[in-house]
Amino acid sequence: MGEELFLSLMPDFEELAGQRVIVRPYREEDAPALFEAIQESRAHLRPWLPWADQHQRIEETRDWINRQRAAWLVRDIYNCTVISLADGQLLGGISLRPHDWQARVFEIGYWLRATATGRGYITEATQLLTSFALRQLGANRVFIRCDERNERSAAIPRRLGFVFEGCLRNEALAPDGQLRNTLVFALTPADHWQAGQ
């Protein structure tokens, strides 16, 4: 058994700044912008994310944000918004979920509003959060899973040097009810330093 971890004392951050985006925890005042981004993007998100039809009222979005803030305090999940440095627009969301604190294994998940795709925002946000996990949390493994059909999502870990570990066949039900194959990509400290990141 490993040493006792006081999770609320584990590292966190106020913001991670890149060249084009800021990754930071959600704030309650983000609710209108988050609500708008989801409203705009339902059709875009629905094939991949089971929550695409949630957030039907602004109060639901505010409540969700407050629950994420509470989960952040006890390090159940680092759930963040991605903000454009150029104009302050809320571009989407990204999370770092601990799967095993003792082994230091984390999963990254992300989404982007429909009008912000194809510009490298989530790639930069993923790089920022991966570096935080490796450098500040001592991650031994950071992984990303996505539906095999979601080529844009799979391109991000490939671009960042994550190692493709395999395809889990018939691994889960997609939001449309069909069985999905899930791609798994992972990065370890050895991969990261070897790539000179």
Side-chain angles (χ1 to χ4, degrees), residues 78-176:
Y78 295 83
N79 213 336
C80 305
T81 184
V82 180
I83 304 289
S84 166
L85 267 171
D87 60 12
Q89 183 184 43
L90 189 148
L91 301 170
I94 190 166
S95 64
L96 182 70
R97 180 183 299 276
H99 272 253
D100 184 332
W101 269 110
Q102 293 287 351
R104 303 295 168 118
V105 174
F106 302 87
E107 179 178 11
I108 291 180
Y110 40 75
W111 66 275
L112 199 62
R113 70 188 303 154
T115 55
T117 59
R119 299 181 207 169
Y121 295 131
I122 285 294
T123 300
E124 184 175 309
T126 301
Q127 187 168 32
L128 289 167
L129 210 48
T130 300
S131 290
F132 168 76
L134 289 166
R135 296 173 191 275
Q136 303 301 314
L137 300 179
N140 291 310
R141 173 182 170 83
V142 178
F143 69 97
I144 293 171
R145 296 181 290 182
C146 68
D147 189 311
E148 181 180 48
R149 299 169 297 172
N150 193 343
E151 293 175 9
R152 283 187 165 201
S153 187
I156 290 160
R158 287 187 173 115
R159 204 174 291 130
L160 293 174
F162 280 63
V163 175
F164 175 62
E165 294 187 330
C167 177
L168 306 177
R169 298 173 299 153
N170 295 347
E171 190 260 342
L173 286 178
D176 64 6

Side-chain angles (χ1 to χ4, degrees), residues 39-104:
Q39 294 290 106
E40 167 200 300
S41 306
R42 288 194 197 283
H44 165 72
L45 300 172
R46 195 173 285 121
W48 320 117
L49 299 170
W51 54 262
D53 287 313
Q54 296 174 12
H55 298 270
Q56 294 290 340
R57 297 168 50 204
I58 191 75
E59 293 81 6
E60 183 183 355
T61 303
R62 286 177 55 212
D63 180 69
W64 180 86
I65 287 174
N66 285 332
R67 289 173 184 274
Q68 299 313 304
R69 293 171 64 209
W72 180 290
L73 285 175
V74 292
R75 309 299 189 259
D76 282 346
I77 188 170
Y78 295 83
N79 213 336
C80 305
T81 184
V82 180
I83 304 289
S84 166
L85 267 171
D87 60 12
Q89 183 184 43
L90 189 148
L91 301 170
I94 190 166
S95 64
L96 182 70
R97 180 183 299 276
H99 272 253
D100 184 332
W101 269 110
Q102 293 287 351
R104 303 295 168 118

